[in-house]
Amino acid sequence: VAVFGDQVAIADTLDAALDDVFGGDSGASAGDEGAAPVPGSPSADPGAQVQLDQALQQARQAITDSQAALQRGDFTAYGE
């Protein structure tokens, strides 16, 4: 996991996560190239990525719905 400002990236290695955060070759060398994935990590379980993607989509929809309710002044729906 790498975080810089509002940019967040998750990858198999720190180097790859840094590259994702900075949009290309970050120039960083964390010394973790060739490291084996941790058993049980998302890269070791392809189904975990599907579940994560679904959960993120549900979260995005909940945010969209709550913002729409707030704009309508529907505080009951906003609180759900």
Side-chain angles (χ1 to χ4, degrees), residues 30-74:
D32 60 355
E33 288 302 315
V38 175
S41 70
S43 62
D45 181 6
Q49 186 63 49
V50 172
Q51 290 175 337
L52 175 60
D53 291 342
Q54 290 172 344
L56 289 172
Q57 182 56 39
Q58 290 173 346
R60 284 186 200 101
Q61 188 61 52
I63 291 168
T64 300
D65 293 347
S66 69
Q67 291 301 314
L70 186 59
Q71 288 179 347
R72 291 189 312 269
D74 185 351

